Amino acid sequence: MHYDYAYFFANNLYWVLLIPVFILSLYAQMQVSGSFSRYSAVNNRRRMTGAQAAEAVLRAHGVSNVAIRPTRGRLTDHYDPRDNTIYLSEDVYGAPTVAAVGVACHEAGHAVQYAQGYGPVRLRSAIIPITNLGSKFSFILLIIGLFLYSQMLFLVGIILFSVTTFFQLVTLPVEFNASAQAIETIEGQGLLEDDELRGAKKVLRAAALTYVAALLTSLLQLLRFVAIFASRGDNGNRRGGGR
């Protein structure tokens, strides 16, 4: 019986590394929920709502014609470049809390990125179509390639999955930059006091950690797929040229 020690090592390494990454992901989610809940209960001294904070960021960067609208749900805040609108959740839009200001300023930071033609956000936008394709079909092709022992289908699945991983990689500087712009504006415009700013930073750092955990998980999965592909190809060559 042939044992592929390279694959055995890679597969076990994957599970060993996945444990701390999984713990990191859970920790990040807990931090996001906990920090947001904690600082959503703390009103800022200026009584500034999330919508007003987002307006302040746009105004400070000379960005106009961006709509700010409420949306349902919790932590559903996002900027949609398709209609040039910042959507703020119910806990952010009209809430004069520390968390609301931090989250709203972050989303406004994304609008600023698009207005200024920030490189990473332009790259991320350009690869969205193929990323959507990869997220829909990569696992289907991987499973079919695995069961039919089709290296070609499996390889195409890996390529599509790698695009989604690359998308997550590009997302990191986009998210970090949006938070940096948010903090810079909050400090520069005096939207929050120093102690309140520390709370907003905690909320944004926790959110950023979720993107890091997602990228690490995706990278580990990609490495595992590559190891499987290499192992199957090596086994096929041995069967073809072996005794």
Side-chain angles (χ1 to χ4, degrees):
M1 181 178 181
H2 171 68
Y3 291 93
D4 191 331
Y5 291 106
Y7 169 71
F8 179 81
F9 174 78
N11 189 51
N12 281 275
L13 181 62
Y14 163 80
W15 288 109
V16 170
L17 293 177
L18 185 61
I19 293 174
V21 171
F22 178 72
I23 293 174
L24 175 64
S25 181
L26 287 179
Y27 173 77
Q29 292 295 336
M30 291 173 60
Q31 284 292 104
V32 168
S33 180
S35 297
F36 184 78
S37 295
R38 176 182 177 184
Y39 292 102
S40 287
V42 179
N43 288 334
N44 61 74
R45 296 184 182 90
R46 292 188 59 180
R47 304 292 296 179
M48 174 171 281
T49 66
Q52 292 170 335
E55 290 175 355
V57 173
L58 298 176
R59 187 167 54 249
H61 290 85
V63 178
S64 58
N65 300 320
V66 176
I68 303 173
R69 296 172 182 165
T71 187
R72 293 183 177 180
R74 187 173 188 269
L75 295 175
T76 52
D77 313 271
H78 65 283
Y79 167 72
D80 192 336
R82 293 172 297 182
D83 58 4
N84 198 28
T85 299
I86 298 171
Y87 291 94
L88 300 178
S89 63
E90 298 167 345
D91 293 331
V92 172
Y93 183 85
T97 65
V98 170
V101 170
V103 171
C105 288
H106 173 88
E107 298 307 332
H110 285 309
V112 172
Q113 289 173 338
Y114 278 91
Q116 296 178 343
Y118 180 58
V121 83
R122 291 175 62 185
L123 175 59
R124 190 176 71 166
S125 297
I127 64 175
I128 282 178
I130 191 172
T131 300
N132 291 336
L133 186 68
S135 63
K136 290 179 180 178
F137 297 107
S138 60
F139 280 104
I140 295 176
L141 291 174
L142 287 167
I143 293 173
I144 294 176
L146 187 65
F147 281 98
L148 296 183
Y149 215 93
S150 171
Q151 285 291 84
M152 180 57 67
L153 287 178
F154 199 80
L155 177 60
V156 174
I158 290 176
I159 293 173
L160 289 178
F161 185 84
S162 68
V163 174
T164 64
T165 303
F166 180 71
F167 180 84
Q168 291 176 323
L169 177 63
V170 176
T171 294
L172 286 187
V174 172
E175 295 299 328
F176 290 161
N177 178 264
S179 289
Q181 291 201 57
I183 296 301
E184 179 182 351
T185 304
I186 291 173
E187 289 181 319
Q189 301 294 314
L191 305 184
L192 296 176
E193 300 293 336
D194 289 343
D195 58 325
E196 297 170 337
L197 179 59
R198 287 192 291 272
K201 286 181 177 179
K202 288 181 180 179
V203 174
L204 295 180
R205 279 198 298 265
L209 194 59
T210 62
Y211 291 100
V212 174
L215 173 61
L216 292 176
T217 301
S218 185
L219 282 172
L220 284 176
Q221 192 69 60
L222 178 60
L223 290 174
R224 188 177 185 219
F225 291 147
V226 171
I228 293 173
F229 177 80
S231 172
R232 285 157 58 92
D234 184 56
N235 288 340
N237 290 334
R238 290 177 181 176
R239 281 197 301 269
R243 293 176 290 182

